[in-house]
Amino acid sequence: MPKLSRETKHDVTFTLNGRKVTARTEARMLLTDLLRHQVGATGTHVGCEHGVCGACTVQIGGEPVRACLTLAAQVEGADIRTVEGLEPAPGALSPLQAAFREHFALQCGFCTAGILMSLDALFERNPGASEQEIREQLSGHLCRCTGYSPIVRAALAAQAQTREEEPANA
């Protein structure tokens, strides 16, 4: 990555939820600010701004990453997925999102986007993740309203539904 000047704005081009995006950024701008204020992807929330709460979690190259700890300039050429990219079709919920609604796995919803992105990455990597592995994935997220039991139940239900929908010879 080239050395960036703090006095100059820089263009950064990346793929966001399957769509190519170019935005101007200062060298010190965080990915959360770029996504929310310049691109309009407001599903990515800013919580602690220290990488502890997990509310800002997005996927970069399929891996969960704290957007509040990532400089916008670092995502040049990257493939980024936010919670807005989970919907399988406009206005439709993914199985994971639908399970969160069905199992009351959210209340205020502030932490939900980050949790969904982490669980989605886990299930992509390990479709048969155990309850313990789900709980370990959730250990990087703080939820002050719902508690973790409904979230784990929703994750397990989404996982089971996804397995049922897979073709038999897949």
Side-chain angles (χ1 to χ4, degrees), residues 18-52:
R19 183 176 121 259
K20 189 173 182 178
V21 174
T22 299
R24 286 192 76 62
T25 180
E26 296 176 4
R28 66 178 182 247
M29 180 179 274
L30 296 174
L31 181 56
T32 49
D33 296 327
L34 179 75
L35 291 172
R36 292 181 60 78
H37 303 298
Q38 289 194 23
V39 180
T42 57
T44 302
H45 293 155
V46 180
C48 67
E49 296 187 275
H50 297 284
V52 176

Side-chain angles (χ1 to χ4, degrees), residues 70-150:
T70 305
L71 292 173
Q74 290 177 281
V75 302
E76 176 65 39
D79 183 15
I80 300 173
R81 191 167 179 222
T82 64
V83 70
E84 290 92 345
L86 290 181
E87 65 179 10
L93 297 176
S94 71
L96 189 56
Q97 290 169 309
F100 265 59
R101 183 174 64 183
E102 182 181 330
H103 292 273
F104 305 102
L106 59 108
Q107 285 182 27
C108 81
F110 197 80
C111 66
T112 306
I115 290 173
L116 288 169
M117 296 312 295
S118 285
L119 288 172
D120 179 75
L122 172 65
F123 292 153
E124 189 65 34
R125 218 176 35 252
N126 181 4
S130 68
E131 181 176 338
Q132 181 59 36
E133 290 168 315
I134 291 168
R135 289 182 181 278
E136 286 174 17
Q137 188 79 4
L138 293 173
S139 69
H141 293 274
L142 297 178
C143 177
R144 293 176 177 94
C145 300
T146 306
Y148 297 93
S149 293

